[in-house]
Amino acid sequence: MTSLVMPTMASSLLLQLGSTCGKSPSFAPPQSILVDKLRRLVIKVKSSETRECTTAMFNANSRRDFLGLALGVSGLFIGSLDANGAGLPPEGKPKLCDDTCEKELENVPTVTTGSGLQYKDIKVGQGPSPPIGFQVAANYVAMVPSGQIFDSSLEKGQPYIFRVGSGQGIQGLDEGILSMKVGGKRRLYIPGSLAFPKGLTFAPGRPRVAPSSPVIFDVSLEYIPGLEVDEE
């Protein structure tokens, strides 16, 4: 609807400015600040004591400038609506591994488990590892292989709490967290067989996860509720 409204407004303004012969120029009260600015930009009305017939003349350059301005404003307005309507994620999404971390990971060896799960430790924790069936609080950033984020606890503003090893999370996430220690961060390369058998579809602007496709999780193990840390 927006793409029809703005060009129509520009056309109506041009029609009003076509001729003011025989009467003083008059305009309806401006509907917005934008219309008022456009009107003052494109018209110069000459006045005299005898109120002679005055015609607003537009040369080719003036008309092009006017139409260019109107269409430019329209394009910016439409573009803004499209971005918001698509639910596109904002720039600078929070991550567990920044650019410096990415470079350091290039030199970190990859560990491969018997199930096919692979991981790299971003930071080795100093706390306890979670027993199977215990609740854990973890932050995560989930990505497709291209690096596009499809889900993140950081954007939700709270850690993901679930019972590890009980089937509440995907198999690759369970296995990867069980061998971590509290305070640690890890990148998990989860094969399709340990990921989402039925796939996932998120809001517009988020990548779709195809059934049984590989995914990448950056995970930080924050704490284990109810598990006391042994004092040395």
Side-chain angles (χ1 to χ4, degrees):
M1 183 176 74
T2 305
S3 60
L4 295 177
V5 172
M6 294 299 292
T8 301
M9 181 185 75
S11 299
S12 63
L13 283 175
L14 285 175
L15 289 175
Q16 291 179 26
L17 297 175
S19 174
T20 60
C21 185
K23 59 180 179 180
S24 298
S26 62
F27 294 90
Q31 298 299 315
S32 66
I33 296 175
L34 175 61
V35 174
D36 184 58
K37 288 184 177 180
L38 289 175
R39 182 185 64 181
R40 287 188 282 109
L41 175 65
V42 302
I43 183 170
K44 293 181 180 179
V45 179
K46 295 181 179 180
S47 61
S48 66
E49 294 181 357
T50 57
R51 289 186 176 272
E52 294 179 352
C53 176
T54 304
T55 303
M57 300 299 293
F58 289 85
N59 57 31
N61 289 333
S62 296
R63 288 179 181 272
R64 282 198 302 270
D65 292 343
F66 174 78
L67 290 175
L69 178 59
L71 293 176
V73 172
S74 174
L76 289 173
F77 183 66
I78 294 170
S80 176
L81 284 181
D82 288 343
N84 291 332
L88 296 176
E91 294 294 333
K93 296 178 290 294
K95 296 181 179 180
L96 287 173
C97 186
D98 58 17
D99 292 340
T100 301
C101 166
E102 293 286 354
K103 292 180 180 179
E104 293 175 349
L105 273 183
E106 294 176 1
N107 300 317
V108 175
T110 302
V111 178
T112 303
T113 70
S115 67
L117 173 71
Q118 294 184 320
Y119 66 82
K120 289 185 176 185
D121 279 315
I122 300 171
K123 175 185 176 182
V124 177
Q126 300 299 316
S129 294
I132 293 177
F134 267 62
Q135 281 192 331
V136 296
N139 275 308
Y140 67 89
V141 176
M143 300 165 281
V144 294
S146 66
Q148 289 180 292
I149 297 174
F150 66 84
D151 195 12
S152 170
S153 68
L154 299 181
E155 293 181 25
K156 298 172 184 175
Q158 58 184 9
Y160 175 45
I161 298 178
F162 69 104
R163 293 191 180 279
V164 67
S166 64
Q168 291 184 356
I170 60 175
Q171 295 181 50
L173 185 61
D174 270 349
E175 182 182 346
I177 288 182
L178 280 170
S179 59
M180 292 179 67
K181 295 181 178 181
V182 172
K185 293 182 182 181
R186 177 175 287 182
R187 173 162 291 179
L188 304 174
Y189 301 91
I190 303 175
S193 58
L194 303 178
F196 301 95
K198 297 181 180 179
L200 291 174
T201 301
F202 285 88
R206 299 280 184 172
R208 177 178 176 272
V209 179
S212 298
S213 64
V215 293
I216 299 173
F217 272 68
D218 284 348
V219 183
S220 65
L221 183 55
E222 305 296 335
Y223 59 93
I224 304 172
L227 184 63
E228 298 294 333
V229 179
D230 294 332
E231 296 184 0
E232 296 183 357

